[in-house]
Amino acid sequence: MSGLRRFRYGEFVREVAGNQRRVSANQLSAPAAGPAAAEETIRLRPIDVHRLLTPYLGIRMKDQLRAVLPLAAYLVLFQVIILRQNVSEGGLIAAGMVAVMLGLMLFIEGLKLGMMPFAELIGLYLPKRSRRRVVLLIAFILGIGVTLAEPAVGALQAAGSTVDPRQAPYLYAMLNAWSGALVLVIGVGVGLAAVLGTMRFLYGWSLKPLIIGTLLPALALTAYMMNRPDLAPVLGLAWDSGAITTGPVTVPIVLALGIGITAAAGRDDSALSGFGVVTLASLIPVLGVMVLALIVSMVSTPDEIVAAASGLSTAVPAWYEQSPAVEIVSGLRAIVPLVLFLYAVLTLLIREKVSQAKFVVTGLVFCLVGMIVFNLGLTYGLAKLGGQTGAVTPAAFTATAAVQGSPLYATGLGMALVLIFAWALGFGATIAEPALNAMGLTVENLTNGALPRRLLIGAVSLGVGIGIALGVVKIVFNVPLAPMLIGFYAVALGLSLISSEEFVNVAWDSAGVTTGPVTVPLVLAMGLGFGEAIRVVEGFGILAMASICPILTVLVVGLWIRYQQRRQESAKQKEELEAVQS
Amino acid sequence: MTTRDIVVLTDVALITCIVQREMADAIIEAARDAGAKGATVHFAKGTGVRERLGVLGIAVNVEKEVINIVVSTEQVDDVFERMYLAGKLDTPGMGIMYVTRLEKAATHIPLDVLRRLEGGGRK
């Protein structure tokens, strides 16, 4: 009888609902209401502003909190509980962390509102209205522009001061006097990757030959440089730079362009075409940085660099080279050229206007302010915290000057603690990465469920964890990076050759997706602080290891899945055969 | 000889409610509380009020969710009202909703409910 009762309730409610005022829509659209009524700006009550803004800001702030807070809390807790060291300058670091979150929030929102409309329009119209050569040229320049705008690139430039020019002269030179050229070379690498990726979209190339074509020269150069003691320290930086390039700016903008070009060429057959650009964008810059190192070694001698460095250190930097002016300048330098270039392409080549210019301009202002705030937070929060944790962590197993009563634990135990710490840092930071989650969904659809999202996320996180732990091992024992890298990449190449195209795409891209704008500066600063504390030449290389290891784990998982499928199929065939025979 | 009966429902109304992406769940929840049996949601894009809110327009998502709910004409006002309040539709930019009279509808109706109704009708 519940049905009957509900009808009565409905009647009851209809009697009660007397507060509905009726207004004819004709009255609203009548000329008496004024022709401009539909264009007028609406007046908002305070409650309306609250209702609009609170969920809007809340969601975006929560995203950033989720990315930054657990990581920061983990570092601080490890430092306080395991190492029993107080965090110095805690207030400043906390403020820096807030700046990082605010800056990223503004930047990402600005990217969506301001930059993406440009990128989408260009992707849509440029391939139709320009010749293919022009399109590829634009893709190349865009690759450089987006690299300069990538938030994590600032971290690289900030890392230069910690290197000792006497021990690693060329590394020092590249991070200081040549730092502009360094970023430019990385940008050119990304630009080339954008061009190759676009051509891959157009002609449906396989990724395997492209990987082999860039990886073999890179490995050969690595092998050559590791035997030159003056150039060997640069290798860590070179391989780390690949991880830095593929962040929140590069990936969506380059993809938007590529997808537009593919659609215009009438090829949209494969969802796989979205992959591969990330891989190339993290491999080609490695090659570029190594070539730059060779050039630096040809035009200057170590003695010159040391002499120049000692001359520099006495001079007081000008006001525009000091914080916070330097952060503002680098923020402007990152955003303004990219925006001007996008605008020029849009007005001169495409002759198309952005709709709703008001929102686009607001978005661009957000981008700029967000970048500057993020840079400030990077200097005062992320880099400081990472450097500090890195500097005191070795105290767990060895005597360092900064920590009284070190080593805190027996060598073996302390070492194990540090490795577990490093592994958990990589695993935790990766498993929470929203970009990886999104990629997991795509991959699940793409492989028809053969590679479930959880399995991919697990494999990549495991790989990054192992990679960061190995990177720490490299710094602690001063193991040369090059043999490890050459060995791992050789194995990855071998596995790629026997893997299917899908898994090769997914595996190589997974490495680039995992390293976001928070993890990269933090891990970079930690490695440098770590290296400084135990007095090794340079603390680079952790990111490089964190890039190759997930490739290996995903490839292995892919092969395992295929092996399982084959076994099931052959078992089924055998059953059918037996059924027929009987 | 077997013919299949189709039970046609009359006195039904369609409530359509267009709100920003990710707002639908709360509104459907309210509609269910008021007696709605189910809801269909599809994605859409929309424009209109966003351009008239000034800078605050950025807080309004252009991506929308369109909720379709079929209810009896006796429930429609109650459900309509609860959805309006849950969606805070009195705030600009939150969305729009409307009711359409439907001529007829048909769906699965549990056999025992049908028997009870027809039994009640005979009494």
Side-chain angles (χ1 to χ4, degrees), chain A residues 560-572:
Chain A
W560 182 73
I561 288 175
R562 205 166 64 167
Y563 168 71
Q564 292 285 20
Q565 280 175 340
R566 285 221 180 125
R567 217 176 54 173
Q568 275 175 2
E569 268 166 34
S570 65
K572 211 184 278 174

Side-chain angles (χ1 to χ4, degrees), chain A residues 1-3 6-7 9-11 13-14 17-20 37-45 47-49 51-53 55-56 59 109 112-113 356 358-359 362 366, chain B residues 20 22-23 34-35 37 47 49-62 72-75 77-78 80-82 88-94 116-117 123:
Chain A
M1 283 291 133
S2 63
R6 190 169 291 124
F7 291 139
Y9 180 60
E11 278 172 26
V13 162
R14 202 170 49 173
N19 50 353
Q20 291 186 7
E39 279 105 53
E40 253 171 38
T41 304
I42 298 169
R43 289 228 183 97
L44 292 169
R45 298 169 294 167
I47 180 85
D48 294 332
V49 176
R51 281 176 182 171
L52 283 171
L53 274 187
Y56 173 75
I59 291 171
E109 190 61 17
K112 203 180 98 194
L113 285 171
Q356 301 181 3
K358 188 174 61 186
F359 293 127
T362 315
F366 277 14
Chain B
Q20 294 172 68
E22 284 172 18
M23 301 283 279
K37 294 282 194 297
T47 55
V49 85
R50 186 173 187 256
E51 292 70 33
R52 293 166 56 197
L53 284 175
V55 179
L56 269 182
I58 55 165
V60 178
N61 197 343
V62 272
S72 73
T73 50
E74 290 183 321
Q75 291 172 298
D77 273 339
D78 186 30
F80 185 82
E81 217 164 275
R82 299 263 197 120
K88 299 184 181 107
L89 294 191
D90 52 336
T91 288
M94 286 301 187
R116 226 183 300 149
L117 283 175
K123 268 175 206 172

Side-chain angles (χ1 to χ4, degrees), chain B residues 28-108:
Chain B
I28 291 170
E29 184 72 35
R32 277 177 177 274
D33 280 349
K37 294 282 194 297
T40 310
V41 178
H42 56 258
F43 291 158
K45 266 190 172 184
T47 55
V49 85
R50 186 173 187 256
E51 292 70 33
R52 293 166 56 197
L53 284 175
V55 179
L56 269 182
I58 55 165
V60 178
N61 197 343
V62 272
E63 299 185 344
K64 312 291 183 194
E65 280 171 333
V66 181
I67 311 166
N68 288 303
I69 295 181
V70 175
V71 290
S72 73
T73 50
E74 290 183 321
Q75 291 172 298
V76 70
D77 273 339
D78 186 30
V79 176
F80 185 82
E81 217 164 275
R82 299 263 197 120
M83 287 171 70
Y84 181 89
L85 294 176
K88 299 184 181 107
L89 294 191
D90 52 336
T91 288
M94 286 301 187
I96 188 171
M97 65 189 297
Y98 48 86
V99 175
T100 323
R101 292 268 161 183
L102 299 180
E103 198 173 327
K104 59 186 175 187
T107 180
H108 163 75

